[in-house]
């Protein structure tokens, strides 16, 4: 059975925090061979929410939700699924939960993401539209994509 949780940093247990940081580093830094400053100071902001799924007490999916900032957008980032759960379409389930939580927390705020270009169609399937030319971030091609608050799924 999969259980979903959405919590601010100060409510995360040390074990959950370790597991989610390990998953992020294992995928974004090691698997994608992309050394970058993974710990960027945004995890601990009081408005940041950490969405994660546990299956048999194992972390299987994670996304970071950021409140509306100076840009006028909320954001979903650090979207990651554990390798053993990717075959189960967990990425789609994760994005559905992330969008639901972001729109519940910040109902009038559009959502902005920095999507790796190979995942553009994945995010389009969740109501995001591409609003930028491709750009390089940490050696990986990305697009800025947005989702307006009136889009429903």
């Amino acid at each position: 059975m999969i259980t979903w949780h959405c919590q601010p940093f100060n409510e995360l247990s040390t074990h959950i925090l370790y597991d989610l940081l390990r998953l992020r580093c294992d995928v974004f830094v090691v698997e994608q061979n992309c050394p970058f400053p993974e710990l960027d100071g945004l995890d601990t902001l009081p408005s940041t929410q950490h969405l994660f799924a546990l299956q048999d007490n194992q972390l299987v999916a994670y996304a970071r939700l950021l409140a509306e900032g100076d840009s006028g957008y909320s954001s979903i980032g650090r979207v990651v699924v554990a390798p053993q759960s990717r075959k189960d379409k967990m990425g789609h389930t994760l994005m559905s939960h992330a969008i639901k939580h972001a729109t519940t927390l910040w109902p009038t705020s559009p959502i902005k993401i920095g999507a790796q270009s190979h995942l553009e169609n994945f995010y389009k399937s969740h109501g995001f539209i591409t609003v930028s030319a491709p750009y390089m971030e940490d050696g990986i091609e990305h697009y800025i994509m947005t989702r307006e608050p009136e889009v429903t799924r």
Side-chain angles (χ1 to χ4, degrees):
M1 180 172 141
I2 296 175
T3 58
W4 289 89
H5 308 269
C6 192
Q7 300 173 303
F9 182 83
N10 64 352
E11 292 180 15
L12 297 172
S13 73
T14 54
H15 291 284
I16 291 294
L17 177 61
Y18 177 85
D19 288 346
L20 69 88
L21 292 174
R22 181 177 179 182
L23 177 61
R24 286 172 25 179
C25 286
D26 284 351
V27 172
F28 298 133
V29 177
V30 178
E31 181 181 315
Q32 295 181 356
N33 192 27
C34 182
F36 75 106
E38 166 58 20
L39 300 178
D40 59 6
L42 299 177
D43 292 313
T44 60
L45 296 175
S47 59
T48 298
Q49 295 289 309
H50 300 273
L51 174 68
F52 59 96
L54 299 175
Q55 184 172 27
D56 300 323
N57 289 321
Q58 298 295 311
L59 181 67
V60 294
Y62 170 83
R64 181 172 74 179
L65 311 178
L66 300 176
E68 183 176 314
D70 294 337
S71 67
Y73 291 90
S74 60
S75 180
I76 299 171
R78 300 299 201 264
V79 177
V80 62
V81 174
Q84 70 274 14
S85 298
R86 293 177 188 160
K87 66 186 180 316
D88 302 327
K89 304 285 187 192
M90 180 60 70
H92 288 286
T93 305
L94 172 60
M95 277 311 297
S96 294
H97 279 274
I99 291 165
K100 176 184 162 207
H101 281 281
T103 57
T104 298
L105 291 164
W106 310 291
T108 61
S109 176
I111 302 168
K112 180 166 51 171
I113 61 173
Q116 292 182 7
S117 62
H118 74 278
L119 293 171
E120 182 182 17
N121 288 331
F122 168 81
Y123 290 113
K124 282 182 177 179
S125 77
H126 289 277
F128 287 88
I129 60 168
T130 304
V131 297
S132 77
Y135 66 95
M136 296 302 286
E137 182 177 316
D138 300 317
I140 299 173
E141 186 178 78
H142 284 71
Y143 291 103
I144 297 293
M145 300 182 78
T146 60
R147 186 179 194 276
E148 294 301 317
E150 64 271 8
V151 174
T152 58
R153 288 268 176 241

